[in-house]
Amino acid sequence: MRPVATTYSGVVPAPIEKVFDLLTNPARMPHWLPGCRTVKPHTPGPLRKGNRLSVWFGRRATTLDILELSPPTTFSWADSEKRVGSQTHFKLQFAGGTTIITMRDVWIPTSLGQLLRGRFLGRRNAKKMFETILDNLRYLALR
């Protein structure tokens, strides 16, 4: 199946290193990721490519696999449980004292039935999610 992808960009008024740290620090993720209550890494220490995170959204838990982690510009994960085939990619760009952040939400349906359900029943609103993430990062960056 072909992937269904959406891309959004915005600006955070903070240095790229600070924004990258906010995105990749599991203890800070509940502060910017909409609906996220708790994040627990499966392995101690700093995040690396290949690490897994247990993430709770209310009472629903899922596992995120870190696909890419290249400081200070790239961070990506794939949901390996609840939303199989769903990936989120963050690309950061230096822009003086600010950071341009681009989020790409990719969904790869695993069957024709899943594709039809996704098209007609809808999926999470990626634009609303990105706008909330962006607002949360702007708020945290100013603190």
Side-chain angles (χ1 to χ4, degrees), residues 47-63:
L47 282 184
R48 293 188 186 136
K49 181 179 177 178
N51 283 151
R52 301 182 100 190
L53 302 170
S54 291
V55 181
W56 285 265
F57 295 93
R59 296 185 336 198
R60 182 180 65 85
T62 193
T63 300

Side-chain angles (χ1 to χ4, degrees), residues 73-143:
T73 59
T74 311
F75 179 52
S76 302
W77 70 64
D79 193 326
S80 62
E81 286 186 16
K82 298 296 180 183
R83 291 187 169 128
V84 175
S86 179
Q87 299 176 358
T88 303
H89 305 273
F90 294 95
K91 176 83 172 154
L92 305 176
Q93 295 175 300
F94 174 77
T98 63
T99 302
I100 299 169
I101 183 169
T102 302
M103 184 185 96
R104 183 169 174 85
D105 184 65
V106 180
W107 175 54
I108 305 166
T110 57
S111 69
L112 180 59
Q114 191 181 45
L115 176 65
L116 293 173
R117 280 190 303 278
R119 292 277 191 217
F120 293 112
L121 298 178
R123 294 181 6 96
R124 63 187 167 146
N125 186 333
K127 181 176 183 182
K128 183 178 177 183
M129 184 177 92
F130 176 71
E131 289 172 350
T132 303
I133 288 172
L134 196 58
D135 287 342
N136 291 343
L137 288 172
R138 287 175 179 148
Y139 174 77
L140 292 169
L142 296 174
R143 294 176 67 188

